[in-house]
Amino acid sequence: MINGLRARIGALTGHQDFRLVSGSTLGVLVVKVLGTLAAFLVQIPLTRILGVGEYGTYIYVWSWIVILTTFLRLGLDSTLIKYIPIYVSGSEWPRLKGVLAVALGAPPVLTLVFLVAGKFSNITHFIPQGLKIVPCVTLPLLILFPVNQMLQAALRGLKSVVVPEFVETLAKPVVMLALFLMLIKGHVAGADNALTAQLGVVVLATIFLSTLLARKLPAGAAQAATDVKMLKTWAAFSGPMLLLAGLSIIISRTDIVMLGMLRGPADAGVYAIASRMAEFTTFGLLASNSIMAPLISELYHAEGQRERLQSILRISAGFIFLFTSIACILLLALGPFLLPLFGADFKAAYTPMAILLCGQLINALAGPVGFLMTMTGHQNEVTKVMGVAAVVNIVGNGLVIPVFGTVGAALVTSACILFWNLVLLVRVRLTLHLNPTILRVTSQ
């Protein structure tokens, strides 16, 4: 029996797909873990210096920036991840250069159009009040932040995931804290200082990622002309992806935003820490998705690669399950000791964190169901499912938060995560006949 197990492990580790998935996944996972530790260490002085109220204000405004920039990306980040691998494999350099030009240029142009339109209309009345705290900071963030995310998506499409992940999860928190401490030296700290530090981080990251992308582009792409004749095709894909991204961000940020609106910044700040801690469990899924998204697009559309895609999905599911299980156990055990480090008021984050862990466990165990559907041309179906989940999330939080506060927000968010993951998993099985979980189920 032992010899048979060793033989299976040896065959698995020697498989080319195992080396492909494990190498990139483990690299990203290590960076994410180190980045989380860095972010954890950063949050401690940040919350202690700002206090619950100012920290909650900072998180509330940042949540609005994330929501708005999601729409400013127009879904083109997903278009990059889908089409770059296809164009690279086919050496279609003009189209590669064209999709990059459109994706990187559209968000800042759209932002500037809205700003100019706002000067001649009443559109400014619809701007959230939080964004008016430091407009000289929030407006540049609305321009640069989506470009920063486009650069990361382009690098992911080129299967360069570790360095961008290092910038996003490890370098950014450390640099942000350093800039924040420099800004408050000799002054009273406030949410505006934290937002200014975020702007500095985004500027530096954009410069670095732009340089990295220029180096990673194939030589043929650098010399090719820019072909945008596929614009209608890209738009046809990015439209539903824009809606899907908006729905996803609504689902993930509704709880914090509505807590800030219905219960105040203090509850939003406490819940934000609970949510951040629970997100640690999904790093296995996120690390796997970094390499899986372009692979799904490449292998699904290639003839005779279905079995290889299923093999890679099974290997990926094993990594996800292992990391998620360990992370959940550690957080449940260490949570009572870790949360007080943020301040005495953050002890209340343990119960909502535990509830969110249940939802994130389901999210991770379902596998990359969203990517499987969207990268194979079923993005409209995903949009419908996420639309229902978003409506339930908003209505549910609106009803529950006034009564149960952070605990109610965690319950509603976890229930929505359970809903859309299970529905999409069923659709993946019935539509694609693929299994992204660790369960060995015979293909339909």
Side-chain angles (χ1 to χ4, degrees), residues 263-285:
R263 299 280 292 213
D267 273 21
V270 169
Y271 186 85
I273 292 299
S275 180
R276 178 68 63 87
M277 296 286 282
E279 286 174 2
F280 181 80
T281 62
T282 65
F283 283 0
L285 177 64

Side-chain angles (χ1 to χ4, degrees), residues 130-209:
L131 297 182
K132 298 179 182 180
I133 295 176
V134 275
C136 60
V137 174
T138 54
L139 292 182
L141 276 172
L142 289 173
I143 295 174
L144 288 178
F145 191 50
V147 173
N148 188 274
Q149 293 172 313
M150 289 294 185
L151 292 168
Q152 292 184 46
L155 288 165
R156 286 178 63 188
L158 292 170
K159 300 177 185 177
S160 175
V161 295
V162 177
V163 175
E165 193 64 45
F166 172 83
V167 172
E168 181 65 23
T169 61
L170 187 56
K172 276 188 176 182
V174 175
V175 176
M176 187 271 181
L177 179 62
L179 292 176
F180 174 73
L181 294 176
M182 291 173 59
L183 289 169
I184 66 170
K185 190 174 182 180
H187 303 281
V188 177
D192 56 335
N193 302 124
L195 291 168
T196 303
Q198 280 285 9
L199 175 59
V201 168
V202 171
V203 170
L204 293 174
T206 301
I207 294 172
F208 177 80
L209 292 173

Side-chain angles (χ1 to χ4, degrees), residues 8-350:
R8 288 186 179 182
I9 294 175
L12 177 62
T13 56
H15 197 284
Q16 63 170 347
D17 290 334
F18 180 87
R19 293 194 298 269
L20 172 65
V21 175
S22 62
S24 298
T25 300
L26 289 176
V28 175
L29 184 56
V30 168
V31 172
K32 280 188 174 294
V33 171
L34 294 177
T36 298
L37 294 176
F40 179 80
L41 296 175
V42 165
Q43 293 299 317
I44 293 174
L46 196 63
T47 53
R48 286 187 172 275
I49 292 172
L50 290 176
V52 171
E54 284 295 314
Y55 179 77
T57 300
Y58 158 65
I59 288 296
Y60 178 67
V61 175
W62 182 247
S63 296
W64 270 113
I65 291 173
V66 171
I67 290 172
L68 292 175
T69 54
T70 298
F71 292 98
L72 291 171
R73 292 200 307 267
L74 300 173
L76 289 168
D77 50 336
S78 297
T79 303
L80 290 174
I81 295 173
K82 176 179 175 64
Y83 285 100
I84 284 179
I86 297 174
Y87 294 155
V88 170
S89 63
S91 299
E92 300 179 69
W93 309 131
R95 290 182 177 179
L96 172 60
K97 202 167 181 180
V99 74
L100 282 171
V102 171
L104 293 173
V109 169
L110 181 61
T111 304
L112 293 174
V113 167
F114 279 133
L115 291 178
V116 172
K119 292 291 184 179
F120 303 98
S121 67
N122 294 324
I123 193 173
T124 54
H125 294 302
F126 298 97
I127 297 177
Q129 287 297 317
L131 297 182
K132 298 179 182 180
I133 295 176
V134 275
C136 60
V137 174
T138 54
L139 292 182
L141 276 172
L142 289 173
I143 295 174
L144 288 178
F145 191 50
V147 173
N148 188 274
Q149 293 172 313
M150 289 294 185
L151 292 168
Q152 292 184 46
L155 288 165
R156 286 178 63 188
L158 292 170
K159 300 177 185 177
S160 175
V161 295
V162 177
V163 175
E165 193 64 45
F166 172 83
V167 172
E168 181 65 23
T169 61
L170 187 56
K172 276 188 176 182
V174 175
V175 176
M176 187 271 181
L177 179 62
L179 292 176
F180 174 73
L181 294 176
M182 291 173 59
L183 289 169
I184 66 170
K185 190 174 182 180
H187 303 281
V188 177
D192 56 335
N193 302 124
L195 291 168
T196 303
Q198 280 285 9
L199 175 59
V201 168
V202 171
V203 170
L204 293 174
T206 301
I207 294 172
F208 177 80
L209 292 173
S210 298
T211 304
L212 180 61
L213 178 60
R215 294 178 58 185
K216 291 291 183 180
L217 280 176
Q223 305 299 326
T226 302
D227 181 1
V228 294
K229 294 178 181 177
M230 297 291 291
L231 183 59
K232 289 185 178 180
T233 301
W234 303 331
F237 179 77
S238 64
M241 296 307 297
L242 167 61
L243 180 57
L244 180 58
L247 293 172
S248 298
I249 204 67
I250 287 173
I251 292 173
S252 64
R253 295 282 176 171
T254 291
D255 41 13
I256 295 177
V257 171
M258 294 192 71
L259 274 167
M261 295 171 61
L262 300 176
R263 299 280 292 213
D267 273 21
V270 169
Y271 186 85
I273 292 299
S275 180
R276 178 68 63 87
M277 296 286 282
E279 286 174 2
F280 181 80
T281 62
T282 65
F283 283 0
L285 177 64
L286 296 176
S288 176
N289 284 348
S290 296
I291 186 62
M292 285 304 300
L295 279 175
I296 291 170
S297 178
E298 179 181 340
L299 296 179
Y300 185 83
H301 294 92
E303 186 177 352
Q305 295 293 324
R306 176 63 66 91
E307 291 186 5
R308 187 185 177 201
L309 177 57
Q310 179 60 74
S311 172
I312 290 176
L313 287 171
R314 186 174 295 115
I315 294 169
S316 176
F319 279 107
I320 295 169
F321 174 77
L322 179 63
F323 181 85
T324 302
S325 301
I326 295 174
C328 282
I329 293 171
L330 288 176
L331 283 173
L332 287 172
L334 300 178
F337 307 100
L338 295 176
L339 291 172
L341 296 177
F342 295 99
D345 293 324
F346 291 93
K347 292 180 181 179
Y350 183 79

